[in-house]
Amino acid sequence: MNKILQLSREYRKLNHVELLPHTNNEILEKLFFLYDEKWEEQSQYPYEILTYLFDSYYVLPERPDLASLFCWQAINHSYYMEQLGDNSINFCKDSQGVTLIQRAIYEGIDKYKPILDPYLERLPVKVFHYVASYMLKGYAMENNNIPEKFRASSYNSLKQRIPMLLDIISHSYGKAYCQIANPVQINGEVNLGIDPENKEKSRNIIHSFGEKLKKLLLGEQIEVTFCDPEKTKQQYVFDEQNKLTFVLFGIIYASRCNNFHGNVAARMNSINANVDTFKMYTYIFLLEYIILAIHMNSRGEVSDGVLDMAKDNVKLML
């Protein structure tokens, strides 16, 4: 019997854990926990943030996807409190909050870049395949006039915030993808209309675009060949703002939204989940964890000493 159906008929936690892809991950034994001794001295501490982190720890190592969602809630509370404390802000919004984190990191770029960059360098390519996939699918659906509600919201967010990505897609990868994809809406779902013989070509386009995205995030200049008769070549490079936008909106916030809104299978329970999925979400959790530490440091909630120790969690990204 299908293992999903079998577990649904008679749920046993042990059977569920065995069904999940995993490795012998000792993350809880090696993780530097966010904790500042001044909280005891001041009898004041970030209560709500710590409660969300407890939930992150509770589901590790088996469910890094859930750990990343709980860690996002901690980040959410951090920027929520910043919005409440800003008298110029009349209404709290997630996108506005993420922008505040981006601003905090950018304003302290000399201090925070050496801490954040090693995490970005260790992100697995599967993360970039994920971004490339939702961007190309979003572009194909938009080109075929599929209603916006079927597209990942992160597609619209990234193309508006980093215009060069839309330029790359519309002239190169998206154009190539649309030659083999013909999305149609059927009974409340979208079929991408990719013939079986083009499945491998579809993966190759996504993976190639993903490789370019990884190079951009690492600060490398890339060359893209356009799908035009002249085979025009164009160079692109991310500045620091582009990099922060890509990380915060294109990876972390996108992962949260695409999981939280329930339009996909639970990541680790998906029939497509594997050890690479486990690794990807473990690394996304660690990336979120250091971003939370950086934002708390920028707000004076954790000391430079604590942040200095927290940065060593990057060693868990093998």
Side-chain angles (χ1 to χ4, degrees), residues 3-14:
K3 291 182 179 180
I4 294 291
L5 294 179
Q6 186 175 5
L7 192 61
S8 175
R9 186 178 69 177
E10 188 175 4
Y11 184 85
R12 293 289 185 273
K13 188 171 183 179
L14 180 60

Side-chain angles (χ1 to χ4, degrees), residues 78-97:
S78 187
Y79 66 61
Y80 176 72
M81 294 306 295
E82 183 171 355
Q83 290 181 87
L84 289 180
D86 189 335
N87 293 329
S88 67
I89 295 176
N90 296 319
F91 185 75
C92 295
K93 297 185 294 184
D94 282 332
S95 58
Q96 184 173 249

